[in-house]
Amino acid sequence: MSSPGENLAPPPPRKPAGQRSLEGLHGSVDVPAANAHPWRQYLAFAGPAMLVSVGYMDPGNWSTDLSAGATFRYSLLWIVALSSLMAIFLQVISARLGVVTGKDLAQCCRDYLPAWTRWPNYLSCELAIAACDLAEVLGSAVAIHLLFPRISLLMAVFITAFDVLVLLSLQRVGMRWIEAVIVTLIGTISICYFIEIFVLPHQAPALMDMARAIVAPDLPSFFHNGGMIYLAIGIIGATVMPHNLYLHSALVQSRRFQADELSVRRAIRFNTLDSTIALTAAFFVNAAILVLAAIVFYGKDHFQLPNGTLVHFSANADWIQVAHLTLSPLLGTAAASILFALALLASGQSSTITGTLAGQVVMEGFMNWRIQPWLRRLITRVVALVPAVILIGARGNNGVTDLLNLSQVVLAIQLPLAMVPLLWFTSSSRIMGTHRNGKFLLVAGWSSCILITLLDLYGLPDAFHDAATVFVHR
């Protein structure tokens, strides 16, 4: 394999048409000529990063952000900011790999890594996708239970298996419709949280405390608090999701652009812009969830609804199931519960779509196996149903947040297996030619990789301890 220090060379030819990622979506979106207005060009390339950013606003993110705000106020806001910044670097690099080589990350692993690494890498990817889908199962089940209280949480878990019908209907209408639906779904909750934080005076956060938490975190307290480290790892796993690195490198190939030097440079430029905008927006949504959880829940044992009713909760509350209270000051109790449930359901279904696409990418890329999307979806969902059913059987309706947080920790632990090959490939002039990572991306990418890996190793004992307690009563 080539090393980052090689002499620059022209990029190799993009791979032949018979080895495409996501065959049905490959090259399905036209892009305007290079002399078209920049806004038209941006709109044509925009979309893949928005699909990827859905994974940064899924039920797993909601759970970790809610737990962080409710338990530690603003203390982990810097982790949300840092993980979002690292996500931007890594997703920009992932898009760059797909644009330049015409291959997704899984295909590059198959082609450029030793053959013995294929199965371990593939199985670790499947584990990450199953962990992510577990978050979608639990988030969607909580949403269904909020919308229809007579449906038990356990029954709602089984109902989520039918989301394959949503996937089939959307994949048939094409990439642009998928992108449009997802943007609409995630926009609704974003607007509500923005109004709550910046418009409603009684919900105004302590801006100076927030700024201090981001730029001057209390690191000694952080490293001496196992629970805080565990949540931090979960936030990173929920933000820098390993399967999104595989998915993004495939989604950028849905745009039909030429393989000449100028076209490739243009695609890199607009995909970089798309990634930066979409993931910055995702950061603000995640930060808003954490901040509102801190305002409503931190240091309190009850919350007063607009009608004067008191809702009591403990420090070990299942935050995902009471999180709709964060919208009550704006919408009233009933409307807040409905909107939160719809938003949670929307985020779960949006992530279901991208999770299934990621599953297709890694299966086709690593193993060259091709199966129908609905079957791929059903297999992943059945795997995810097992721990959800066990949890609810063991702890009833309590503990959903615990399992959601654990699923995100699993994602964080799997991250180095995706980051290292991604950074190696994109630092190689034999693979990337003149488009290999420059000094800034080299430093930013490898620094992110090293930091995440060290934090994983440091927090691993606490992660195993907390994992052992998820399925038992506390």
Side-chain angles (χ1 to χ4, degrees), residues 29-208:
V29 179
D30 289 318
V31 298
N35 59 359
H37 192 280
W39 180 245
R40 279 191 61 210
Q41 295 187 61
Y42 167 72
L43 289 179
F45 281 100
M50 184 58 71
L51 281 180
V52 168
S53 73
V54 165
Y56 297 68
M57 294 177 277
D58 74 341
N61 285 82
W62 291 38
S63 173
T64 53
D65 293 336
L66 286 164
S67 299
T71 309
F72 301 110
R73 198 168 180 246
Y74 304 141
S75 296
L76 289 177
L77 198 55
W78 70 279
I79 289 287
V80 176
L82 180 61
S83 60
S84 298
L85 184 62
M86 294 189 294
I88 291 174
F89 294 146
L90 292 168
Q91 295 298 163
V92 164
I93 292 171
S94 173
R96 193 183 192 94
L97 178 71
V99 166
V100 174
T101 66
K103 300 179 183 183
D104 59 62
L105 178 56
Q107 290 171 328
C108 287
C109 289
R110 183 188 65 200
D111 292 346
Y112 302 126
L113 293 181
W116 65 266
T117 64
R118 187 178 305 169
W119 273 100
N121 278 334
Y122 170 64
L123 292 176
S124 71
C125 286
E126 290 288 11
L127 176 63
I129 292 169
C132 185
D133 200 56
L134 173 59
E136 319 332 342
V137 167
L138 294 171
S140 297
V142 169
I144 293 170
H145 181 58
L146 284 173
L147 289 171
F148 307 101
R150 293 190 177 183
I151 297 178
S152 68
L153 195 60
L154 182 61
M155 183 59 65
V157 164
F158 287 110
I159 291 174
T160 64
F162 294 97
D163 70 2
V164 66
L165 301 176
V166 177
L167 171 72
L168 283 175
S169 61
L170 283 176
Q171 278 203 310
R172 285 173 179 166
V173 299
M175 177 61 75
R176 282 313 236 177
W177 273 101
I178 294 175
E179 293 167 356
V181 168
I182 287 176
V183 169
T184 302
L185 292 177
I186 63 179
T188 304
I189 193 69
S190 304
I191 292 171
C192 287
Y193 277 134
F194 177 86
I195 293 173
E196 283 232 48
I197 291 177
F198 294 105
V199 177
L200 298 185
H202 56 284
Q203 292 293 106
L207 296 179
M208 288 303 297

Side-chain angles (χ1 to χ4, degrees), residues 254-470:
S254 63
R255 271 51 183 174
R256 189 182 298 122
F257 58 90
Q258 300 301 313
D260 62 274
E261 181 74 5
L262 289 178
S263 296
V264 170
R265 287 189 180 278
R266 179 171 66 131
I268 290 174
R269 182 169 67 253
F270 283 109
N271 276 292
T272 299
L273 182 62
D274 184 34
S275 299
T276 303
I277 293 174
L279 299 184
T280 299
F283 159 69
F284 283 111
V285 173
N286 285 320
I289 295 172
L290 186 150
V291 168
L292 281 174
I295 293 171
V296 174
F297 299 125
Y298 177 74
K300 301 176 183 177
D301 59 5
H302 67 274
F303 177 76
Q304 186 171 4
L305 300 176
N307 62 6
T309 304
L310 293 180
V311 177
H312 293 272
F313 45 80
S314 68
N316 294 319
D318 200 6
W319 300 116
I320 194 74
Q321 297 200 58
V322 295
H324 64 277
L325 297 176
T326 60
L327 290 171
S328 295
L330 174 65
L331 301 169
T333 309
S337 179
I338 292 172
L339 180 61
F340 179 84
L342 289 174
L344 189 59
L345 188 62
S347 73
Q349 294 309 302
S350 300
S351 297
T352 286
I353 297 167
T354 57
T356 300
L357 293 176
Q360 288 179 252
V361 168
V362 300
M363 181 178 284
E364 294 172 8
F366 279 113
M367 312 306 294
N368 205 21
W369 296 340
R370 295 177 185 271
I371 63 175
Q372 292 295 319
W374 67 268
L375 181 58
R376 165 76 227 188
R377 174 83 220 103
L378 197 58
I379 293 171
T380 306
R381 181 48 54 96
V382 169
V383 171
L385 285 175
V386 174
V389 171
I390 293 174
L391 172 84
I392 296 172
R395 297 180 57 177
N397 286 3
N398 299 316
V400 173
T401 301
D402 291 341
L403 188 53
L404 277 168
N405 292 347
L406 175 61
S407 71
Q408 306 311 296
V409 171
V410 171
L411 291 177
I413 293 173
Q414 201 273 335
L415 256 174
L417 296 179
M419 291 187 296
V420 171
L422 171 66
L423 292 167
W424 185 268
F425 299 147
T426 53
S427 300
S428 168
S429 59
R430 182 173 70 86
I431 296 172
M432 300 290 288
T434 56
H435 302 294
R436 70 175 188 161
N437 292 334
K439 290 182 179 179
F440 177 78
L441 284 180
L442 268 176
V443 173
W446 283 109
S447 297
S448 300
C449 178
I450 293 169
L451 182 60
I452 291 171
T453 303
L454 290 177
L455 190 58
D456 279 352
L457 293 174
Y458 186 84
L460 211 53
D462 290 309
F464 283 129
H465 174 268
D466 287 346
T469 64
V470 165

